[in-house]
Amino acid sequence: MAKLPTPHELMASRKDFPAGSWLDVKPEFAPGSFCYPAKVETMERLHMPHPHEWDPAAEDWNLPDNWEKILCDAFEERLEKHRSLKLFMDICVRCGACADKCHFFLGTNDPKNMPVLRAELLRSLYRRDYTMLGKLLGVSVGARGWDKSVVKELFYYAYQCTECRRCSLFCPYGIDTAEITAIVRELLHEVGLGTHWIMDPVKNCSFTGNHLGIQPHSFVEIVEMLADDCETITGIRPKTPFNEKGHEILFITPSGDVFADPGIYTFMGYLLLFHELDLDYTFSTYASEGGNFGSFVSFNMAKKLNAKMYAEAERLGAKWILGGECGHMWRVVNQYMATYNGPAPSCMMDVPTSPITGTRFENAASTKMVHIAEFTADLIRNNKITLDPSRNDHIITTFHDSCNPARAMGLLEEPRYVLKAVCNNFVEMPENTIREQTFCCGSGSGLNTEEIMELRMRAGMPRGNALRYVQQKYDVNHMACVCAIDRATLTPLANYWAPGVTVSGLHELVGNALVMKGEQKRTMDLRQEDLPNVDPDEPEDDAEQGEE
Amino acid sequence: MKIHDIFRPQKEAVISKWIEAVYATYPLETTGFLRTRKDPFTNPVGDMTHEAAGRLFDAVSGEDTDPVTVRQAIDRFVRLRAVQKMTPSQAIGVFFLLKPIMREQLLPLCTGDRARAAYLNAESRLDSIVLLAFDMYTEARETLAESRITEIRSQCAQVVRWAQTVDGSPVSGKS
């Protein structure tokens, strides 16, 4: 008769020293720990290699017959193409400086989520084919060959890295583990392995311009609905220029700002700000997506989806591009766009210059793209807009540095400058969780899908933990950020780790505080929630409302 | 002599053993890091475990049995284990790992009928904490499930709102 296990046995306490090496411990594909696979028809429409039906939880992933040759050849091709990859494979001395810097490791406590070991999954394969010692001594020097379980392992861990690059910050050699993850994902695509959450938006972007695949006329109507909401709140209906030629500025933002809560309130902030400035700008329904999920697939797919930015700027005759609050869009723009699709069209001005303040954004001379936080910070510094931060007095806010703007473009001060101008109560999270050392939301790089919600909650734990700390110590009840994925994913993260903290974009708070010429008395914020301490029946004080 | 006068001098020894038992539920390669890093943001799992351990001991010994403070102290720890890759019994049963440690460290010190009875009460308090943690675990899992539903709705909230106006009816209220 079977015996009931003791509590100790149920805990499955491991032995003091495990029998096998860490490389021999294989991941278990339990529901909640992997993303759903891409649909065959999606992969076919995008002409991806080897589209096929497969299930991550199944034993057999139906790989093509010559899968090993495909992967070896693809790896070799990339080693030839990217000198950085070859360098990253060779120079790691396994010092471990990166090991405990990854939010996935801190949340899962899975050793293979240490960036050094995640990269070692690929490096061990490299060692067998490209190093003398590996060829001669094999396993004893950490070299191994390809087999199907290795492919599964690569998939499992390449999609437990958000390419946030926090580990790179601590690497004495500057190894960019995100690049290694990106290459592993590229390799897996060579044998038809991709995820639905990434490939579906890629398909939609390819055919209709934005992640949800909303047709141009519908896109315009949705934006007009948001303009109607602005009118309800302020009494002013902001203009919504679309696809108009001859404007100085083309504005591009992630489509999540148009479709998703709470991003839409950030978008309303943009509309109100641009209207107040009487900015000479246009939206585009073709370049209606700032995000680039292609950058989570392959070099070529990222290049393809990025191309519409310059193409549309050229078609519409824009002098420069103003970019909205997005994360990975800015990494693509700052680090890859020149290689993908540069140089910028000749119709664009040498140095983007603010038509309101005359400030020349020298930092954007190469890309011709200015981040909206820089643009607004410049407006505030030059006293070009009137703000009433007391409208945000019910908020005690902190600021989450989104990984890509912080680490890939150094955008650290501008959002804080804006935030302090529109909110009277601002508190920083602990030093080792912000700025360059910011912790990822745990859902970037195409992992913001609901089937892995529990994985996201453990990966986002270091961020949630720091947020909870300032919530309890300083009564923080709000977190601002400048990334569309963050706005969507920090909301459940905050709800889980620090219930009671709301999440918004920076320009939602700007829109709340912005005093517009001729506006009605504000009694509600952009979410149409009543502003505290405002009596709707009390006549407004003209002196406080600026020019009437 | 009150039971917590017997328990208190043993606090450090007992909680350090329990913390070791918790760390032993993670892979060997991870344990060293959990043990050595002290910063609460560099090693949040270690910090959560330490926070839970101290209060767990105080509650079991009968020094502070206020359910509100007990809940607060084990909240992060339970939330963490509710989303880490483990079964529900592994997530919550970890509190039971205190029992063999208590029997080894504390029971021999409880001589006499009154002390024995007080010791059994302490074990019962541990059982109550596990039940409390079970409720908290379930709440955390429900939050997780609700988050999935809310997120699916939020992702395209504005599109749904727009679709409802396609037949010409005006937009009513917020989405």
Side-chain angles (χ1 to χ4, degrees), chain A residues 112-254:
Chain A
K112 285 186 193 170
N113 272 327
M114 295 178 189
V116 55
L117 293 195
R118 198 186 292 115
E120 191 72 11
L121 300 176
L122 187 64
R123 214 171 263 130
S124 56
L125 298 163
Y126 171 83
R127 218 168 269 135
R128 185 195 69 165
D129 293 336
Y130 297 95
T131 69
M132 183 60 76
L133 274 179
K135 281 175 187 168
L136 291 173
L137 302 172
V139 182
S140 57
V141 289
R144 63 172 176 173
W146 289 87
D147 66 40
K148 287 186 178 177
S149 72
V150 170
V151 176
K152 289 183 172 183
E153 192 174 44
L154 288 173
F155 178 84
Y156 190 80
Y157 290 103
Y159 289 93
Q160 288 197 31
C161 166
T162 47
E163 305 183 5
C164 81
R165 302 169 73 236
R166 188 171 192 265
C167 51
S168 313
L169 199 68
F170 297 89
C171 175
Y173 290 95
I175 295 173
D176 188 343
T177 310
E179 300 258 334
I180 298 174
T181 297
I183 292 293
V184 171
R185 291 188 184 188
E186 244 190 79
L187 295 178
L188 293 167
H189 271 290
E190 293 289 339
V191 286
L193 304 176
T195 70
H196 174 71
W197 186 256
I198 293 174
M199 297 314 292
D200 206 46
V202 166
K203 179 197 72 181
N204 290 335
C205 275
S206 296
F207 293 102
T208 47
N210 55 71
H211 282 168
L212 283 187
I214 301 297
Q215 303 279 339
H217 62 287
S218 314
F219 195 94
V220 173
E221 286 180 21
I222 291 171
V223 169
E224 285 176 347
M225 278 172 49
L226 294 175
D228 292 342
D229 288 349
C230 288
E231 187 176 10
T232 305
I233 296 157
T234 66
I236 296 168
R237 191 181 190 288
K239 59 185 179 179
T240 54
F242 265 102
N243 302 329
E244 294 177 6
K245 290 188 177 177
H247 290 292
E248 184 170 352
I249 298 166
L250 169 64
F251 181 68
I252 300 177
T253 197

Side-chain angles (χ1 to χ4, degrees), chain A residues 7-8 10-14 16-18 22 28-30 33 100-101 105-111 114 156 197 212 214 218 221-222 225-226 229 258-261 264-265 430 432-433 439 448-451 453-454 456-458 461-462 465-466 468-469 488-489 492 495-497 499 527-529, chain B residues 21 23-31 33-35 37 39-45 47-48 51 72 75-85 87 89-97 100 140-141 143-144 146-148 151-152 154-159 161-162 165-166 171 173-175:
Chain A
H8 203 260
L10 280 174
M11 293 312 104
S13 264
R14 56 161 171 73
D16 286 346
F17 289 97
W22 63 273
E28 182 199 345
F29 283 80
S33 61
D100 57 353
K101 307 305 186 295
F105 172 67
L106 295 181
T108 62
N109 295 123
D110 180 343
M114 295 178 189
Y156 190 80
W197 186 256
L212 283 187
I214 301 297
S218 314
E221 286 180 21
I222 291 171
M225 278 172 49
L226 294 175
D229 288 349
V258 177
F259 303 141
D261 277 349
I264 53 171
Y265 309 113
N432 52 354
T433 71
F439 275 118
N448 49 323
T449 176
E450 72 278 351
E451 69 260 25
M453 186 63 83
E454 66 179 75
R456 287 166 46 191
M457 292 302 114
R458 55 183 182 258
M461 178 272 282
N465 185 46
R468 183 187 176 100
Y469 173 78
T489 63
N495 188 41
Y496 190 81
W497 287 106
R527 300 189 183 202
Q528 299 193 33
E529 287 165 5
Chain B
Y23 290 169
T25 64
Y26 295 110
L28 176 69
E29 292 84 353
T30 302
T31 311
F33 153 76
L34 290 171
R35 277 191 195 127
R37 296 286 180 159
D39 182 89
F41 305 103
T42 304
N43 179 10
V45 171
D47 186 54
M48 291 171 187
E51 186 192 18
Q72 280 171 353
D75 189 60
R76 283 192 305 162
F77 184 72
V78 172
R79 279 176 199 273
L80 172 76
R81 295 186 73 87
V83 289
Q84 285 194 324
K85 209 172 171 184
T87 63
S89 63
Q90 286 169 333
I92 294 305
V94 76
F95 289 107
F96 281 132
L97 296 180
R141 297 296 302 186
T143 302
L144 209 58
E146 281 164 14
S147 292
R148 286 199 186 95
E151 185 166 279
I152 292 168
S154 300
Q155 274 156 9
C156 47
Q158 199 62 11
V159 183
R161 188 176 163 216
W162 166 80
T165 69
V166 169
V171 176
K174 295 203 308 159
S175 54

Side-chain angles (χ1 to χ4, degrees), chain B residues 64-120:
Chain B
D64 183 357
T65 55
D66 179 2
V68 175
T69 52
V70 173
R71 272 183 75 103
Q72 280 171 353
I74 62 173
D75 189 60
R76 283 192 305 162
F77 184 72
V78 172
R79 279 176 199 273
L80 172 76
R81 295 186 73 87
V83 289
Q84 285 194 324
K85 209 172 171 184
M86 48 185 78
T87 63
S89 63
Q90 286 169 333
I92 294 305
V94 76
F95 289 107
F96 281 132
L97 296 180
L98 188 63
K99 217 173 249 188
I101 299 168
M102 286 169 67
R103 288 179 188 172
E104 181 192 309
Q105 297 283 123
L106 304 173
L107 184 58
L109 305 176
C110 298
T111 50
D113 289 348
R114 283 184 60 189
R116 287 273 164 155
Y119 174 83
L120 290 179

